[in-house]
Amino acid sequence: MSNENFIWGVATAAHQIEGAWLEDGKGLNTWDVFAHTPGKIKNNDTAAVACDHYHRYEEDIELMAQLGVKGYRFSIAWSRILPQGKGEVNQAGIDFYNRLIDGLLAKGITPFITLYHWDLPATLQFEDDGWLSYSTAEYFAEYADVCFKAFGDRVKHWMTFNENWCSAVLGHGIGCFAPGRVSRTEPYIAAHNLCLAHGLAVQKFRQGDYGVVGIANNCDFREPLTDKPEDKAAAQEALEFFYGWLTDPVVFGEYPAIMRERVGDRLPEFTPEQKEMLKGSCDFLGLNHYTTHYASREKPEANVIGGDEGNGGIDEDQQVFLSKDPEWAPTSMGWFVVPWGIRKMLNWVSDRYKGLPIYVTENGCSVNDNDPSTAKHDGFRADFVRGYTAAVKQARDEDGVDVRGYFCWSLIDNFEWTRGYDMRFGLIFCNFETQERIPKDSYYAYQEVIKADA
Ligand code: NOJ
């Protein structure tokens, strides 16, 4: 892939930036309910207003145009389109995304739509058990079809889902994400229905002329701690439990063999018809990537990282120990800055899913600086952006990986889920009191990266 058609972009998600949670007919979603439950979110923050992007999208498009990005990845709020998740369409929701899409195209920015970035219409949780039920997958395909028909004349790049790993493990295993379920079995059931939902939606997609469709799954890189074969196997298996779990089904029609072996009958099975439907159901793969850990079969003596959250799955199923290099600098989320990890990760995806183009659909860095007078000077994030984009270019130019774009997370500070407004990922500072936007040093650093690659 040459740099000629490479898309440098930025990414956001509806629930994290839009606000207007009760406006123009939007229905409630599970994150509205979760965040309004006291004690679930840092400082009891909610996304009721967030960056007020619903009203300020024109200003935000202008900031993207100044930055020089060629692509914008955003998500559609399902409950703005279908307030109950199913049934009646809300025209005001369609109108909003039409305004946004037309505004982007007028500035020469290519829209990349994610259909689902975790904000499940609450009715589907209450009435249908959300992702624990196959009916939610069917409703998703109907919702997706409404979007393809409404926007597919102008939007040609689509992603069904964002980070299904988080919906499964954080939402149904650990319970720190909506809908807040705690279980060792449900993550596998939820993931199964999410994969099927992707397949059903892609069937609808391929009945029309809407461009290309993929999925944005996340994965941290796993580097073997030593050269020993058992550590190499541990790293490989950890990647299969993380990215492979949610991606193998939508490319090959089956879960990784190591998962079937280890998880046993807690891992649901696809029927032969479902396998056929899922096989080849991605035209490209998205990769959301944030950090790297070492993996080993035995517990290392030092620098061990514990817990499911850092593990990429249910830890006793994986039988892998993770550790860090004490030299790695952590971001304020505690995620280590390891630029070479994204290069290796891209090579891993490219080797496993041969022939599929890849987009880095998210990569970014949190710094929790809430003071408008100092937040502008985010040298740490500016260095992060320079380091990671250089590693992506190495994968593209030196390793021959077919990576076609990079979307920095995020355009602007926003509602960081369980961490509320305490964690800031933006290239642009958002003053959540006044809604003032202030581009940071990282915004200008990224602008330079884009210019230099033109
Ligand atoms: C992954 C998610 O897709 C996004 O919503 C989140 O804000 C970032 N990573 C940072 O945690």
Side-chain angles (χ1 to χ4, degrees), residues 247-315:
T247 310
D248 277 22
V250 295
V251 176
F252 307 132
E254 185 53 287
Y255 292 114
I258 189 71
M259 290 192 69
R260 282 181 280 143
E261 183 190 309
R262 296 260 173 82
V263 184
D265 57 13
R266 280 178 301 130
L267 191 70
E269 283 182 27
F270 297 114
T271 65
E273 296 74 35
Q274 289 171 338
K275 287 183 188 176
E276 268 319 296
M277 169 181 81
L278 291 171
K279 222 184 276 173
S281 64
C282 284
D283 301 319
F284 68 88
L285 292 176
L287 168 69
N288 292 4
H289 173 85
Y290 285 88
T291 193
T292 289
H293 297 141
Y294 286 121
S296 56
R297 187 58 83 210
E298 300 296 326
K299 191 170 183 173
E301 275 162 26
N303 301 315
V304 176
I305 302 164
D308 276 346
E309 206 163 341
N311 218 327
I314 293 180
D315 53 4

Side-chain angles (χ1 to χ4, degrees), residues 325-346:
D325 181 332
E327 299 291 305
W328 291 341
T331 67
S332 61
M333 289 290 272
W335 300 347
F336 306 110
V337 182
V338 190
W340 54 258
I342 198 168
R343 179 177 181 182
K344 292 199 176 195
M345 187 71 228
L346 282 166

Side-chain angles (χ1 to χ4, degrees), residues 16 117-118 162-163 288 290 335 362 409 416-417 425:
Q16 294 178 271
H117 200 122
W118 308 344
N162 179 71
E163 300 198 356
N288 292 4
Y290 285 88
W335 300 347
E362 278 183 35
W409 186 273
E416 179 53 29
W417 309 110
F425 277 87

Side-chain angles (χ1 to χ4, degrees), residues 381-403:
R381 185 183 288 100
D383 285 346
F384 179 101
V385 168
R386 289 187 199 104
Y388 272 80
T389 53
V392 170
K393 284 201 284 179
Q394 285 175 323
R396 181 191 71 187
D397 300 338
E398 293 171 33
D399 308 339
V401 172
D402 185 8
V403 53

